[in-house]
Amino acid sequence: MNLQNRRDSIKENGFTIVNSIFSEEEIEKISEVIQNIDTSKETFRKSEDLFAIRQFLKEVPGVQDLIFNEKMKTMIREIFGDRYFVVKSIYFDKPETSNWYVAYHQDLTISVDQKKPLEGFGPWTTKQNQFAVQPPLEDLENIYTIRIHLDDTDENNGALKVIPGSQTKGIYRPETIDWTTETEAICPVESGGIMIMKPLILHGSNRTTNGKRRRVIHIEFSDRELPDGLNWAEKIVIAN
C-alpha cells in the first residue's frame, strides 16, 4: 500500500477513508464474536436506539486478532508510527430504528485509570467508575482515531460529516463555525472499510433516512505515556 497520500490527507484535511481493509468473511467473523458476548456488564449500554460497549477490545478479547489483521497493522505502522498503541475502544450499534442526530463537536477527552489533579488536565467526568478528562492540546493533537465500519454507511444512514482542516485550529467551538469560510464533507464508508481521523476535526452526523443499520468500532491510538502516575484506562499494545 502506498500510504503517503493517506498521511498527506490526514495532515491537511484531518481524515482519510480506506475501503476494503476487511473482507466480507472477516466482517462476518467480527460480527459473530460481538453477537455472542455477555451484555450484562456495566461497560455495556443498551437501549432501543443504541447499543454500545466501552473498553470494547478489553471486554471482547476474542475480537482483537480479527481486527488487527495485516492490512490494519500496516496502516497503523506506516501512517501513525511503530510506537502507537490503543488507548480507547468503543463499539456502537445504531439499529434501524435509531434516529440520532449528532451535532458538530470535537473529541476532547481521553479515558484514564483514576482522577488526579494535574496541571493542564481538566475538566473531569466520571461515569460508572470510568474516568475521562480533557488533556493538554498537544496530547489531543497526537491521537489518531480509526473507525471500522461493519455496515455500508452513507449520507442516508448517519455517515460522519466533517469540516476539513478544522483539526489544525485548536479548540474550535461549534457555535463559532464561520460557514462563509468553512466547508462540509460527508464521509461514506463501505462495509469493511475504515475512516482514519484526528479527534480535533469538527464532526457530527445527520439522522438516518433509509432505516439501515450502522455498526462502527471506534479505536483511538497514541504513542505517549501520561504524566505523574496517570495511566490510560485501556492501553493495548498491538503485536507485530
Side-chain angles (χ1 to χ4, degrees):
M1 279 187 276
N2 178 9
L3 299 177
Q4 183 59 51
N5 59 337
R6 304 294 182 184
R7 283 193 292 269
D8 292 345
S9 177
I10 296 167
K11 186 175 181 181
E12 181 180 348
N13 299 315
F15 75 98
T16 190
I17 294 166
V18 190
N19 286 311
S20 303
I21 293 296
F22 298 91
S23 67
E24 200 173 312
E25 184 183 6
E26 286 173 314
I27 291 296
E28 281 178 14
K29 284 181 180 175
I30 292 169
S31 301
E32 204 172 286
V33 171
I34 294 168
Q35 282 166 9
N36 291 329
I37 53 181
D38 172 12
T39 60
S40 62
K41 298 180 183 178
E42 64 176 17
T43 46
F44 293 58
R45 177 182 168 189
K46 195 164 191 175
S47 66
E48 280 184 18
D49 57 1
L50 177 70
F51 175 57
I53 307 170
R54 292 183 304 278
Q55 299 199 16
F56 173 66
L57 294 174
K58 270 189 176 179
E59 295 288 7
V60 192
V63 86
Q64 285 187 36
D65 288 344
L66 298 173
I67 285 175
F68 296 113
N69 65 14
E70 287 308 314
K71 284 185 179 179
M72 271 283 279
K73 289 195 283 191
T74 298
M75 301 288 290
I76 293 162
R77 186 172 59 248
E78 298 297 324
I79 294 179
F80 307 170
D82 56 13
R83 296 177 61 189
Y84 270 74
F85 46 84
V86 173
V87 296
K88 183 190 287 187
S89 63
I90 311 170
Y91 168 76
F92 293 106
D93 177 1
K94 293 185 181 177
E96 298 88 337
T97 54
S98 172
N99 208 9
W100 276 29
Y101 165 83
V102 180
Y104 269 112
H105 66 284
Q106 296 172 298
D107 293 338
L108 296 177
T109 63
I110 58 173
S111 296
V112 294
D113 66 335
Q114 60 183 303
K115 185 174 181 179
K116 192 172 187 179
L118 288 173
E119 189 178 342
F121 285 76
W124 290 80
T125 59
T126 308
K127 290 180 185 174
Q128 296 173 313
N129 292 322
Q130 309 277 312
F131 302 98
V133 64
Q134 183 171 322
L137 185 63
E138 58 266 26
D139 289 328
L140 290 171
E141 290 173 335
N142 181 253
I143 292 171
Y144 290 91
T145 299
I146 293 181
R147 290 168 56 90
I148 302 166
H149 285 248
L150 305 185
D151 303 293
D152 290 334
T153 310
D154 60 22
E155 67 275 12
N156 298 312
N157 68 326
L160 276 195
K161 54 183 183 179
V162 302
I163 298 178
S166 55
Q167 82 285 351
T168 64
K169 299 177 181 180
I171 306 301
Y172 191 160
R173 300 299 176 194
E175 62 271 18
T176 68
I177 297 170
D178 182 355
W179 288 111
T180 64
T181 58
E182 302 288 20
T183 57
E184 179 177 280
I186 304 291
C187 303
V189 186
E190 296 172 5
S191 173
I194 64 173
M195 178 177 178
I196 304 173
M197 58 183 268
K198 300 297 283 181
L200 288 174
I201 192 171
L202 277 162
H203 59 285
S205 62
N206 294 329
R207 289 179 171 86
T208 182
T209 57
N210 65 3
K212 288 189 177 176
R213 190 179 190 184
R214 55 248 195 257
R215 295 168 297 160
V216 173
I217 299 166
H218 170 115
I219 309 176
E220 297 177 16
F221 300 81
S222 177
D223 64 354
R224 293 187 173 191
E225 297 299 346
L226 300 171
D228 299 326
L230 190 66
N231 297 299
W232 300 102
E234 187 185 6
K235 179 178 177 180
I236 298 173
V237 177
I238 303 154
N240 287 327

